[in-house]
Amino acid sequence: MTNTWRRSWCVLAMFIAAAGEGLSAEAIPLVIDATKVQRTIQPRDLGGTNIALWVGQETYRSEQVRRLFQDGRFGVIRLPGGSWSDTTFWNGHGVRDPQTGLVDHSRWKDGYPQIDYSAYAPTITVEDKPPHRIRAGQWHGNVDVLALHDFARHVGAQQLVCVNAGTGRPIDAAEWVKFANRTNSYNIRYWEIGNELDGGWEAGHFLADGSELTPQMYAQRFIEFARAMKQVDPAIRVGGPASGVEESNSFAEAILRDCGELVDFISIHSYPGNQTFTDEQQFARVQVVSEHVQRVRGWIEKYQPARRDEIEILYTEWNLPATRVACELDAALWTALFLREMAINGVRLSTQWDAFTQGKTEPGGHALIWDSNGQAMPKAQYWAMWGWNNFTRREVLASGKIEGAPVEYLATREGDEVCLMLVNSSRDVETVIAPRIEGIAQRPAEVYSLTFEQYFWNPFTHRPDTSTQPRRQVLEGEIPVAPFSLNFVRYPVEPLNVTASVRPAHADRLMLVMPESVYAGEKAEIWVRAMQQDRPIAGAVVSAEVSADGGELSSTMVRLAESAGRTYALAREPGKMKITARAGELVVAGSITVKPSIPRPVVIWDAEEPVLDREHKYESDFPIAREMNVRPNEPVVHIDLKDALKTKQNLLLRLHFPDGIQIDRSGIRGVFADVRVSPDFRCEDEDAGVLVLMQSESNWWMPIARFRFEEAMKTNWVRKEVMVTDAKHIEAMPQARNVWFILETDRPVNGSVYLDRIGLMVR
């Protein structure tokens, strides 16, 4: 046998072995009783989104964008845009010329713009900080609220409005209700009072005297707004607080306690998860929905038990963190599971954050649609919501994890039509499911599948390289569920012919997607894609063999059955690292520049743990807690000093390395943290500061450096970075175990210290 034939047979054997490892041995049954309904939902009301004033009018006018919204069948659109809700005066008449759009900044009196509600002129905005004067300059958003209303109406969505309760008045909100529902017949039913006013980032949270808005104050404000708005239209439903629902100091609990029948719904904001989470951890975070809903229902039972069936629960902002994980295929799977959790927990309505914001920023942002230069491409979340809104029915039959498979499911029904949603969270295991629907005549199924073949996010160009509608097949009997895929299955009433979509018979080339450069000691992320001309092709190539000249691969075999697979190459030394991928006769090669190593920041501690205590790697001499009201949608470490002066040195915070921390400890070269103090922070010692030190098994006490408190920390987060320069300390880093922040002062300190995004500088 020649060497060429020997190599071909070896490669074929590897393909077969790889394929065998990824397949289930036999079909796994899924039995659904279509006669038992667990609850009734309005699927499209859960599949809503947010739009905003800062998005360009060319986007709202784009026929391509409008078609995407209509095809996605988004049931609800919230406006006018997150935190802008609390700085926006929806009507600028009397302040802004309706013809020229120019703003008269002198039209401001007694703390408010002098709006004339006898007619309409484009929206105006005010400054974030007291006294909230009309925003300087002539830019008050790229569109006005009328453009948002008309866009939502055009695409067939009901609307939810968040009124300005931060810098506005009850009369402004009441006039908006009148304009929307009486003058223009938008028939808007749901109205929120303020956006995230429990947070220090929100306009209106800090009052004119520097004090903060309390839950009790917000509840009183809610009463005034709700009464004024319902007087105009008693049929509307009013709620809030459009924020998190923490157990303590909750604005949601306050309005349920103090506002009586004026409260029609509680609205929640949630951004669970973390870029550093594993797939398993990320997908598990959807369970926060159950925690939130149970907490709110507990408050309803406590304060308004007679209205338990009247007060609704909404999620008016939700998403993953605004990192690349919100852009990749992962986001589609996570979104489908989050929607399922809302459905089975009785959430009435939800609007994802958001449709367009940060669609072009590095590393990707939240947007459903990547929009650039007139080209609109759906991101992964769009396809999840497209499938949800088109293929989820009103009656929930069953949900859960399929026994013996890495697949989560939801079964719904309407009339004689049953639909399934199947989420395979495994990146390696292909599963075959054999559904049996009891109670109806089972027919061939229409199956839509989203895999790497239909969607691929390029992590280096920060845009979708591929984004197409999920692949459609009509199948009878067993349903193949590809690894890391989202699938919608419809058993329709009408008969369907069993056909599979036609694919090209083979791939004609491989493609490498990888960074241009990395630092020595770093892992380079390398994707291999199987292509035919310019389209990805699944099924034609089982796997590829990858080599790295000048690097060490995490895996030399990359699965390509779904058209794309990933490995990592550890770059050893500065220079060039050559990457080669082979699949039969197909070969592709490229190189990565390996640059000399410099330390880079790696966030380790971000206060995501439910309790900050020793069990969760946090210790202090002072009371510490997770605080959600200092940084938007993000927990931080809150340290309450209370006349701190126990000794000259006090333990502000000790952070133990998490179990299984994924860093090379020998490369640690520093510590960093975002630092802020409360507005009432006081210390008579001008030299008061924080000593940062580390401990290691081989060096128990390693002072790194010291920083002082700054006046700027009262209003802004300040990044503090201290570097390890002592050679003995560097030598001890492989056994490093924790980081200390020690408060050093000769005199008492009052107030609070906040720490966030704490981490290590790693080479």
Side-chain angles (χ1 to χ4, degrees):
M1 183 182 288
T2 66
N3 289 334
T4 300
W5 277 106
R6 184 178 291 110
R7 178 177 179 81
S8 298
W9 278 109
C10 288
V11 171
L12 178 61
M14 288 189 288
F15 289 175
I16 295 170
E21 290 173 1
L23 289 171
S24 296
E26 58 185 24
I28 297 174
L30 173 62
V31 180
I32 303 295
D33 187 344
T35 67
K36 294 181 179 179
V37 177
Q38 294 183 352
R39 67 167 63 245
T40 301
I41 62 173
Q42 300 293 333
R44 290 183 61 211
D45 286 358
L46 290 172
T49 189
N50 280 258
I51 59 176
L53 292 164
W54 56 78
V55 177
Q57 53 185 304
E58 67 278 1
T59 295
Y60 293 116
R61 292 174 179 173
S62 165
E63 285 304 315
Q64 185 184 15
V65 168
R66 291 185 174 200
R67 280 196 304 273
L68 286 172
F69 265 76
Q70 290 164 342
D71 292 347
R73 304 184 73 233
F74 296 95
V76 187
I77 290 178
R78 178 177 180 252
L79 54 94
S83 292
W84 272 46
S85 302
D86 287 319
T87 60
T88 294
F89 285 78
W90 67 273
N91 190 342
H93 188 248
V95 178
R96 190 171 186 180
D97 189 298
Q99 303 301 320
T100 66
L102 296 177
V103 174
D104 182 353
H105 292 85
S106 68
R107 298 281 296 167
W108 189 84
K109 184 179 179 181
D110 299 330
Y112 299 97
Q114 294 180 277
I115 307 295
D116 174 5
Y117 285 111
S118 65
Y120 177 80
T123 305
I124 63 168
T125 55
V126 299
E127 301 288 353
D128 294 347
K129 294 182 171 54
H132 305 298
R133 291 187 178 274
I134 299 169
R135 181 175 290 170
Q138 294 295 331
W139 187 75
H140 292 262
N142 286 320
V143 294
D144 64 353
V145 298
L146 194 57
L148 301 185
H149 283 311
D150 287 343
F151 175 83
R153 172 185 274 174
H154 182 87
V155 299
Q158 64 171 305
Q159 302 175 43
L160 184 155
V161 172
C162 183
V163 302
N164 180 357
T167 61
R169 303 161 296 181
I171 188 172
D172 304 312
E175 289 287 348
W176 199 347
V177 174
K178 179 181 177 182
F179 175 82
N181 288 357
R182 289 189 180 177
T183 306
N184 289 285
S185 300
Y186 290 120
N187 300 321
I188 299 171
R189 190 177 185 215
Y190 287 90
W191 296 78
E192 277 182 307
I193 296 178
N195 179 81
E196 299 180 0
L197 283 166
D198 59 339
W201 58 87
E202 199 74 16
H205 177 81
F206 287 103
L207 309 180
D209 62 2
S211 63
E212 297 183 62
L213 187 72
T214 66
Q216 294 75 22
M217 292 177 184
Y218 173 73
Q220 182 58 42
R221 192 176 295 186
F222 186 99
I223 291 170
E224 295 168 2
F225 273 73
R227 283 176 175 167
M229 296 162 69
K230 290 194 173 197
Q231 188 171 2
V232 174
D233 186 351
I236 64 172
R237 296 186 67 78
V238 177
S243 66
V245 284
E246 297 301 305
E247 291 189 67
S248 60
N249 203 39
S250 171
F251 281 35
E253 182 180 15
I255 62 174
L256 286 168
R257 182 188 64 227
D258 299 344
C259 301
E261 293 188 355
L262 292 171
V263 183
D264 297 309
F265 64 84
I266 295 297
S267 56
I268 302 171
H269 288 183
S270 181
Y271 294 82
N274 188 292
Q275 176 68 31
T276 63
F277 281 1
T278 64
D279 290 342
E280 183 178 5
Q281 291 172 322
Q282 195 74 67
F283 294 135
R285 289 297 290 160
V286 300
Q287 295 172 7
V288 299
V289 173
S290 176
E291 299 168 13
H292 294 162
V293 170
Q294 288 179 27
R295 187 172 300 144
V296 171
R297 285 190 176 141
W299 291 331
I300 294 172
E301 286 295 324
K302 182 176 181 180
Y303 300 114
Q304 301 199 43
R307 300 184 65 223
R308 66 173 63 90
D309 296 328
E310 299 175 32
I311 299 174
E312 298 172 324
I313 299 175
L314 281 59
Y315 274 77
T316 54
E317 286 186 26
W318 57 269
N319 209 322
L320 289 156
T323 60
R324 63 175 277 188
V325 71
C327 308
E328 297 183 308
L329 185 60
D330 312 44
L333 279 60
W334 182 90
T335 296
L337 293 174
F338 198 88
L339 286 164
R340 183 191 70 169
E341 288 302 302
M342 290 191 289
I344 65 178
N345 281 283
V347 174
R348 172 65 183 82
L349 177 154
S350 89
T351 50
Q352 168 268 5
W353 183 266
D354 71 337
F356 304 112
T357 303
Q358 303 181 63
K360 300 180 288 292
T361 60
E362 194 281 330
H366 281 135
L368 285 175
I369 297 171
W370 186 90
D371 185 22
S372 178
N373 300 321
Q375 181 189 20
M377 294 184 69
K379 291 167 61 182
Q381 275 195 320
Y382 172 90
W383 292 119
M385 299 184 76
W386 172 89
W388 176 271
N389 289 332
N390 281 283
F391 303 112
T392 305
R393 301 297 179 250
R394 296 181 67 249
E395 296 173 337
V396 176
L397 302 176
S399 66
K401 185 176 184 297
I402 299 177
E403 186 176 352
V407 178
E408 299 276 349
Y409 76 97
L410 174 71
T412 58
R413 174 179 181 172
E414 193 161 342
D416 286 335
E417 185 169 275
V418 171
C419 292
L420 305 177
M421 182 177 76
L422 304 172
V423 180
N424 186 346
S425 59
S426 169
R427 291 182 183 267
D428 304 308
V429 178
E430 180 175 0
T431 303
V432 178
I433 305 299
R436 188 171 80 244
I437 314 297
E438 297 180 342
I440 66 169
Q442 191 160 334
R443 295 168 289 272
E446 184 179 38
V447 182
Y448 288 86
S449 301
L450 184 72
T451 70
F452 284 117
E453 183 182 25
Q454 291 76 40
Y455 183 83
F456 183 80
W457 175 264
N458 190 318
F460 311 113
T461 60
H462 316 298
R463 57 163 290 166
D465 279 355
T466 302
S467 181
T468 61
Q469 182 173 300
R471 177 185 179 227
R472 180 182 182 272
Q473 301 177 86
V474 177
L475 303 174
E476 188 168 22
E478 298 175 350
I479 307 293
V481 181
F484 217 62
S485 67
L486 171 60
N487 306 267
F488 294 97
V489 182
R490 183 174 76 99
Y491 292 94
V493 176
E494 72 273 12
L496 297 173
N497 294 322
V498 177
T499 58
S501 60
V502 179
R503 285 172 159 164
H506 66 282
D508 58 21
R509 68 187 180 98
L510 300 179
M511 175 188 292
L512 288 175
V513 180
M514 57 191 189
E516 293 181 357
S517 63
V518 295
Y519 290 102
E522 283 188 342
K523 288 183 178 179
E525 181 180 1
I526 298 166
W527 287 87
V528 184
R529 303 184 72 195
M531 310 289 290
Q532 186 180 75
Q533 298 181 1
D534 291 328
R535 63 167 286 188
I537 172 66
V541 178
V542 176
S543 60
E545 184 181 15
V546 182
S547 62
D549 184 7
E552 181 180 340
L553 290 166
S554 60
S555 174
T556 59
M557 293 300 296
V558 175
R559 178 188 173 96
L560 295 183
E562 289 71 51
S563 82
R566 177 172 59 183
T567 186
Y568 294 88
L570 177 63
R572 298 193 189 100
E573 302 292 340
K576 291 286 186 180
M577 179 168 60
K578 183 179 178 181
I579 306 297
T580 304
R582 301 175 184 274
E585 299 300 317
L586 303 180
V587 181
V588 64
S591 63
I592 299 173
T593 300
V594 182
K595 299 183 291 188
S597 176
I598 60 173
R600 68 192 190 284
V602 179
V603 175
I604 306 295
W605 302 273
D606 53 13
E608 287 287 348
E609 295 77 2
V611 180
L612 304 187
D613 55 15
R614 182 174 177 82
E615 180 183 350
H616 295 92
K617 314 302 182 185
Y618 296 76
E619 289 184 274
S620 177
D621 286 344
F622 307 101
I624 59 172
R626 293 172 82 240
E627 176 61 65
M628 294 294 297
N629 299 329
V630 180
R631 203 165 212 168
N633 305 311
E634 185 173 336
V636 304
V637 181
H638 175 197
I639 306 167
D640 189 354
L641 298 182
K642 294 183 178 179
D643 293 313
L645 187 61
K646 297 180 180 179
T647 63
K648 186 173 180 178
Q649 289 189 329
N650 305 274
L651 177 61
L652 198 64
L653 189 65
R654 178 164 55 228
L655 299 164
H656 300 273
F657 285 14
D659 298 331
I661 183 172
Q662 297 296 309
I663 62 168
D664 179 3
R665 301 191 192 197
S666 64
I668 297 173
R669 293 297 181 269
V671 177
F672 67 93
D674 287 355
V675 184
R676 190 166 179 172
V677 299
S678 57
D680 62 351
F681 182 87
R682 297 288 183 274
C683 182
E684 298 176 6
D685 181 3
E686 294 182 355
D687 195 48
V690 176
L691 172 67
V692 182
L693 64 85
M694 297 183 68
Q695 286 185 314
S696 166
E697 296 294 341
S698 57
N699 192 333
W700 199 244
W701 198 256
M702 300 184 290
I704 307 302
R706 186 181 188 275
F707 64 84
R708 294 171 59 182
F709 292 111
E710 303 169 14
E711 188 67 18
M713 292 177 179
K714 291 186 177 181
T715 56
N716 296 292
W717 288 94
V718 177
R719 169 63 61 93
K720 288 296 179 182
E721 181 179 295
V722 297
M723 302 303 295
V724 179
T725 56
D726 189 309
K728 292 183 179 180
H729 295 167
I730 292 174
E731 186 178 348
M733 284 302 155
Q735 293 82 40
R737 54 181 297 175
N738 57 38
V739 175
W740 295 49
F741 294 85
I742 296 176
L743 173 65
E744 293 187 325
T745 179
D746 290 320
R747 300 186 181 184
V749 178
N750 284 285
S752 297
V753 174
Y754 304 102
L755 298 175
D756 189 27
R757 300 177 185 174
I758 309 165
L760 303 169
M761 300 298 296
V762 182
R763 185 178 63 83

